[in-house]
Every structure is written in structure tokens, then in C-alpha cells.
Amino acid sequence: MVRLETGQFYSFFVSLQDEYILGPGDSLIFNLQGGRNEVFYQKVKKDGRLYLDFTAPILVSGKTLAEVKNDIEKIVKSSLTETEVYVSIN
């Protein structure tokens, strides 16, 4: 948290988190809501990929969290009916 001149506090956590570059061993939280409701954790494997049961392996190592979120949102939209996904670092 950072205190602004106005006296308000501002958190840089969200923007910094999105710029984080993923690599093997990083753990992500997936929150599926809608047609499929589920919360699960998945680690990036040694080969730099995520292995999710609703899609082929996804290469995420070297990408920012924002890029991975975007990729996974597209995959969920095309493969899971009426389901939204929220992704964050564990």
C-alpha cells in the first residue's frame, strides 16, 4: 500500500501481479464460475506448461500473468459453456 498526497491509500498489488513472469513451480488458482463451478490449484510443470483437464497443455513459462489470464479466458470461453474463469497466483 502507498499513501497518496490526498491521504488515500493505493495498492500496486494487482498491477504488479499481472506483470509477474511465470516459470516452473509457480502455483496458480483457477476459479471457474457459471456452467462449471470449481476452484482448483495448478503448478507450472518443469516443462513450463499447465495441464488442465479441459484443454491441451498450455505453455506459460516466460509469459506474464496477464498474458496467461487472457489465453485461459479465451480457452474457457471456447470450450466450457457459460463459464467464466478467474486466475491468480497462489
Side-chain angles (χ1 to χ4, degrees), residues 47 49-52 55-60 75:
D47 65 358
R49 299 176 192 277
L50 285 173
Y51 291 84
L52 307 172
T55 188
I58 307 165
L59 182 61
V60 299
I75 291 167

Side-chain angles (χ1 to χ4, degrees), residues 14-76:
V14 173
S15 61
L16 289 177
Q17 185 181 28
D18 281 346
E19 295 306 313
Y20 180 78
I21 297 175
L22 295 168
D26 286 332
S27 181
L28 301 177
I29 304 169
F30 296 85
N31 184 347
L32 299 171
Q33 295 181 356
R36 180 171 170 178
N37 293 300
E38 183 179 1
V39 176
F40 61 93
Y41 301 85
Q42 180 70 43
K43 279 191 175 185
V44 178
K45 303 299 183 199
K46 289 181 184 179
D47 65 358
R49 299 176 192 277
L50 285 173
Y51 291 84
L52 307 172
D53 67 357
F54 53 84
T55 188
I58 307 165
L59 182 61
V60 299
S61 187
K63 293 184 177 183
T64 65
L65 179 61
E67 291 171 319
V68 171
K69 284 179 180 181
N70 188 47
D71 292 347
I72 292 173
E73 287 169 0
K74 288 178 185 176
I75 291 167
V76 166

Side-chain angles (χ1 to χ4, degrees), residues 1-2 4 10-17:
M1 299 282 269
V2 174
L4 302 176
Y10 179 78
S11 174
F12 289 98
F13 179 72
V14 173
S15 61
L16 289 177
Q17 185 181 28

